[in-house]
Amino acid sequence: MTDALASLPQNNVLVKIEDGVAWVSLNRPGKRNAINPGIVFEMNQVLDVLEAEDSCKCVVMTGSGDAFSAGMDLKEYFREPDAGPPVARERLNRANSAWQWRRLMYYPKPTIAMVNGWCFGGAFQFLCACDLAVSADEATFGLSEINWGIIPAGIVTKSVAAALQQRKALYYIMTGDTFDGKEAEKIGLVNFSVPKAEMVDKVKELAKKLMEKNPHVLRACKVGYHYTREMSWDMAAEYLASKIDATKFRDPEQGAAKGMSQFLDEKSYRPGLGAYKRD
Ligand code: COA
């Protein structure tokens, strides 16, 4: 364990690394893991540390107790900072955007959201920013903002628009109706929904699959996906042409050369059916 990992507060956010997977839990179970400034600033610290931590190959974001997260803390994230100095309000917004999507969407390691229970409002931001998501069938999701008189702000509306088709997105934004894990899977908000008792094993299986891939190329794949979505077709083609060269050039394990040689020369594997053999 590095000094940086050992020095994490383990207070509002718990971190445990096992077999390459960092299990990161929002840790205010009594408040259903509502996101307060404590979580915001600690989560940024956690993401910094895990980025540099060699024993962490994949990050799983989840919640302590029976909630994933009840979204932003109405008292500590909204009411109290709104009554304080604007500079502090803006600093908190910035720090929250940093961990919930700016950093997480482009995080250099694969990320999986594990939705273990209540998931409301602001929690959709970091749920959507994770690469993949697994839910418990028993989890309850809701864009509850309409129920207390605000719009899904931060970046929730855009996150939901990117993840869901329009009819579903507008239905849940405008009604605030709740839905369960199976519906979340059906509408594409999560990859898989399974009974809660099977959820951790499903996440481990998925993490294992991701960790078998070339991490350098995996990072370029996800970052390229997000950037090219916002580009014109011509710009995307140019970007990807440059990135494929940069990725090959900088890849520490020179995966493309190995993969090609193992298929064409050694005939030891089939790329269509699995990954090349890494050292
Ligand atoms: N902000 C602030 N406090 C919250 C909170 C939030 N988003 N969500 C839960 N809490 C607090 C409650 O005020 C309560 O605090 P208390 O024990 O000091 O009274 C505690 O967490 C437990 O909440 P409770 O409502 O009793 O739990 P529950 O299990 O019966 O219901 C929820 C869980 C998630 C359905 C319910 O707490 C809720 O509707 N939360 C708000 C969800 C929301 O609209 N989030 C969007 C914010 S963007």
Side-chain angles (χ1 to χ4, degrees):
M1 187 191 286
T2 59
D3 290 349
L5 186 61
S7 69
L8 283 174
Q10 301 276 4
N11 181 19
N12 294 290
V13 181
L14 300 182
V15 180
K16 186 180 65 175
I17 302 184
E18 266 174 15
D19 302 327
V21 179
W23 300 84
V24 177
S25 303
L26 282 73
N27 188 40
R28 298 181 72 220
K31 298 286 183 186
R32 307 298 179 262
N33 302 320
I35 298 158
N36 68 345
I39 288 185
V40 168
F41 291 108
E42 211 169 308
M43 196 58 97
N44 276 300
Q45 192 184 350
V46 164
L47 291 181
D48 276 346
V49 168
L50 292 181
E51 187 172 342
E53 177 62 44
D54 283 344
S55 64
C56 163
K57 313 284 183 207
C58 179
V59 173
V60 175
M61 305 287 279
T62 190
S64 297
D66 62 3
F68 178 64
S69 168
M72 308 318 294
D73 188 305
L74 271 60
K75 180 165 170 274
E76 294 186 36
Y77 189 85
F78 288 119
R79 184 193 274 167
E80 291 172 356
D82 284 351
V87 170
R89 166 79 274 172
E90 280 161 24
R91 179 169 172 265
L92 182 56
N93 286 353
R94 226 177 17 253
N96 189 55
S97 297
W99 87 265
Q100 281 206 326
W101 63 277
R102 284 205 169 89
R103 298 207 52 202
L104 206 49
M105 253 169 80
Y106 304 104
Y107 202 63
K109 299 179 179 181
T111 54
I112 302 172
M114 184 172 83
V115 186
N116 53 309
W118 303 116
C119 175
F120 286 101
F124 277 63
Q125 289 188 152
F126 71 97
L127 164 62
C128 292
C130 286
D131 303 324
L132 304 175
V134 173
S135 170
D137 290 346
E138 298 89 332
T140 301
F141 297 76
L143 288 160
S144 53
E145 287 87 343
I146 190 70
N147 292 337
W148 63 282
I150 67 162
I151 63 168
I155 203 75
V156 174
T157 294
K158 190 162 172 64
S159 301
V160 170
L164 304 185
Q165 45 139 302
Q166 181 170 318
R167 295 280 178 234
K168 291 291 182 189
L170 281 176
Y171 181 82
Y172 287 118
I173 286 173
M174 295 177 76
T175 63
D177 278 6
T178 56
F179 53 97
D180 62 12
K182 276 289 166 225
E183 169 74 356
E185 180 188 274
K186 199 168 119 201
I187 66 179
L189 186 60
V190 301
N191 297 90
F192 306 102
S193 182
V194 294
K196 193 165 182 179
E198 296 166 24
M199 178 186 66
V200 170
D201 283 346
K202 185 73 194 173
V203 170
K204 284 183 180 171
E205 178 193 319
L206 198 51
K208 183 168 177 287
K209 191 176 282 197
L210 293 171
M211 291 189 298
E212 282 164 5
K213 309 292 180 197
N214 178 323
H216 175 79
V217 181
L218 206 53
R219 174 177 185 270
C221 286
K222 69 189 253 187
V223 170
Y225 170 82
H226 287 300
Y227 282 136
T228 56
R229 274 173 64 93
E230 308 288 332
M231 290 178 191
S232 70
W233 283 69
D234 284 323
M235 283 173 71
E238 279 299 305
Y239 168 91
L240 292 169
S242 305
K243 276 292 162 188
I244 198 168
D245 288 346
T247 310
K248 276 194 213 163
F249 180 69
R250 294 198 178 278
D251 181 1
E253 67 182 51
Q254 290 298 297
K258 259 188 208 134
M260 209 177 282
S261 170
Q262 288 176 19
F263 179 53
L264 296 179
D265 307 325
E266 299 166 24
K267 298 191 182 298
S268 56
Y269 89 121
R270 290 182 169 75
L273 305 180
Y276 67 87
K277 189 167 180 308
R278 299 176 63 208
D279 295 332

